[in-house]
Amino acid sequence: MGFSKDNLKGFVLALLSSGFIGASFIIKKKGLRRAAAVSGVRAGVGGYSYLWEPLWWIGMITMIIGEAANFVAYAFAPAVLVTPLGALSIIVSAVLAQFILNEKLHKLGILGCVLCITGSIIVVIHAPQEQAISSVQEIWSMATQPAFLLYVGSVIVLVFILVFHFSPQYGHTNVLVFTGICSLMGSLSVMSVKALGTSLKLTFEGNNQLIYPETWIFTFVVATCVITQMNYLNKALDTFNTAIVSPIYYAMFTSLTILASVIMFKDWEGQSAGNIVSEVCAFVVVLSGTILLHVTKDFERSPSFRGNYTPLSPTLSTRLCSGNGEMLKHDEEDDLCADEVCSRSHELYT
C-alpha cells in the first residue's frame, strides 16, 4: 500500500520519539543509581528516593517529550507502523551508553543495530494506511467489540495475578514479572493513547470531541496504565540490568501492542497476505537485532570478570559470578558496586 502523508508524519514523530526515549533510559538509570547510593534503598525493593534526584527527573522529562511525540505519532499512523520503530530507541541507548556509561558496543552489536534499522525500513514500506475515523464514539465502538473486551479482560486478570501473586515472590529474581506487567499495561495504554490522540486531532480540526464522555474515559485509562507501567518499569530497571530489561520489554510490549491493535483497529484488514507476512518478518528481523545488540553489549568485557573478581572493600559481601548468570548476595548499600563489577549480560539480585 502507498505511504500516505499521515503515515509520513507518524514515521517522523516516531523517529523523534525514539531519540528522546533512548536517551531517557540512560539518564534515568544514572539517576536511579545515584539515588540508591544516597538513600541506601533501591527502587526495585520499594524505594522512592529517586523522586528527589534531579538527574532522574531530567530523564523523566526527556522520556515525557519522547512519549509526547509518540502520542502524536499514533494519531497519524497505525500502531503496526509506530510501535516497531521503538527499536530505534535501543540503538540510541546503546550509542549513548558507550559514551556515558562506558559500555563498549561490540561489533556484533553494530550488526544488531543494522538489523533493527533494516527491519524498521521494511515495516515502514509495508505498513497499512491509517483508517479514517470521524469521532471518538467510533473508536469506542471498536474498544467495546467482544474480541477486544476479551483481550482487555485477559490482560487485567494477568496483571492482577502478576502483581499480587508473582511480584512479591519472584519479582526480584525473575525479570519477566516486572516487564510482563509493563508490557501488558503498555498494550492497553497505547490503544487508549491512540484513541485520545485521535480525539484531540479531530478537536483541533474543528470537530470537538471533548464533549463526549468517551474521550475522558480514554484519558483516565491512559493515566492509570501509564502510571502503573512507569512504576514497574522503574522496578525492572533498578532490579535488573538494562541489557536484560530492554530487549525483553521491547519484545513483549511490541508483540502485545500489535496484537491489541490488530484486534481493536483491524490494521490488517484490506492488506494482502504478502504485506502481512512482510510486516511479521520485518518485526522478527527487528527483534533479532534487538536481542543481538543487548546480548553482545559488553561481550568483550565479561570474560575478564569471570572467576577473577576480588572484593573492592572489606565491607562488600560475597559475589558469585558465572558465565550464565550472577547470583549477587550483598547489602543494599553495596548494590551499585556490584552492578559495576559483575558482567552486564545476566544479573539476578537476591
Side-chain angles (χ1 to χ4, degrees):
M1 300 180 69
F3 198 63
S4 66
K5 291 183 178 179
D6 280 349
N7 276 18
L8 178 60
K9 292 177 183 177
F11 170 68
V12 172
L13 288 167
L15 289 181
L16 293 174
S17 172
S18 294
F20 282 104
I21 293 176
S24 74
F25 269 90
I26 303 301
I27 300 171
K28 286 179 67 178
K29 181 72 174 181
K30 288 184 69 69
L32 288 169
R33 287 179 176 180
R34 185 178 295 179
V38 172
S39 67
V41 181
R42 296 183 292 110
V45 294
Y48 292 93
S49 59
Y50 58 85
L51 294 176
W52 286 268
E53 174 54 50
L55 190 60
W56 183 85
W57 280 107
I58 293 174
M60 178 57 69
I61 292 171
T62 304
M63 176 171 281
I64 290 173
I65 295 173
E67 293 295 349
N70 209 39
F71 176 92
V72 181
Y74 280 112
F76 288 99
V80 174
L81 167 62
V82 176
T83 305
L85 293 178
L88 301 179
S89 67
I90 300 176
I91 297 177
V92 175
S93 178
V95 173
L96 291 179
Q98 181 162 347
F99 297 101
I100 298 176
L101 300 179
N102 296 320
E103 297 179 358
K104 186 175 178 58
L105 184 61
H106 191 266
K107 291 181 180 179
L108 289 177
I110 297 175
L111 176 59
C113 293
V114 173
L115 289 175
C116 288
I117 295 173
T118 302
S120 298
I121 292 174
I122 299 174
V123 168
V124 170
I125 293 174
H126 295 279
Q129 297 276 14
E130 175 71 342
Q131 59 180 306
I133 297 176
S134 58
S135 70
V136 69
Q137 293 172 319
E138 185 179 343
I139 304 176
W140 181 257
S141 66
M142 297 177 183
T144 53
Q145 59 184 302
F148 189 70
L149 288 177
L150 177 61
Y151 176 80
V152 172
S154 301
V155 166
I156 293 174
V157 170
L158 286 173
V159 167
F160 269 86
I161 292 174
L162 288 172
V163 169
F164 295 106
H165 178 70
F166 288 100
S167 180
Q169 299 182 47
Y170 308 107
H172 302 290
T173 58
N174 192 326
V175 68
L176 294 178
V177 176
F178 290 152
T179 54
I181 296 171
C182 292
S183 302
L184 288 165
M185 296 301 291
S187 68
L188 296 184
S189 70
V190 168
M191 297 303 100
S192 301
V193 161
K194 184 168 180 60
L196 181 57
T198 303
S199 300
L200 294 177
K201 176 188 174 185
L202 292 171
T203 299
F204 291 139
E205 291 175 351
N207 185 6
N208 188 9
Q209 302 297 304
L210 301 181
I211 59 175
Y212 299 111
E214 290 86 352
T215 299
W216 300 104
I217 293 175
F218 283 126
T219 302
F220 173 76
V221 174
V222 168
T224 302
C225 292
V226 168
I227 290 173
T228 304
Q229 192 178 351
M230 288 300 100
N231 179 47
Y232 283 95
L233 180 58
N234 280 329
K235 290 179 181 293
L237 284 173
D238 193 60
T239 305
F240 303 96
N241 195 282
T242 308
I244 299 175
V245 174
S246 294
I248 293 177
Y249 175 59
Y250 170 79
M252 295 176 66
F253 168 72
T254 305
S255 301
L256 289 170
T257 298
I258 291 176
L259 174 62
S261 184
V262 168
I263 294 174
M264 179 174 172
F265 292 99
K266 297 179 172 58
D267 291 328
W268 285 345
E269 273 195 0
Q271 278 200 298
S272 66
N275 275 336
I276 295 175
V277 171
S278 296
E279 290 170 25
V280 173
C281 292
F283 173 64
V284 173
V285 171
V286 173
L287 179 59
S288 301
T290 303
I291 295 174
L292 182 61
L293 175 63
H294 284 280
V295 166
T296 61
K297 197 168 186 181
D298 281 323
F299 182 77
E300 291 183 352
R301 289 181 54 201
S302 57
S304 62
F305 287 98
R306 295 174 185 169
N308 296 320
Y309 171 63
T310 302
L312 298 179
S313 72
T315 61
L316 295 183
S317 303
T318 301
R319 273 79 167 177
L320 178 58
C321 297
S322 66
N324 295 323
E326 288 82 25
M327 297 299 294
L328 305 182
K329 299 179 180 180
H330 54 83
D331 298 329
E332 289 178 352
E333 55 269 26
D334 291 332
D335 176 63
L336 300 180
C337 295
D339 186 53
E340 291 295 330
V341 170
C342 291
S343 169
R344 290 178 178 274
S345 56
H346 301 281
E347 293 184 357
L348 296 176
Y349 292 78
T350 61

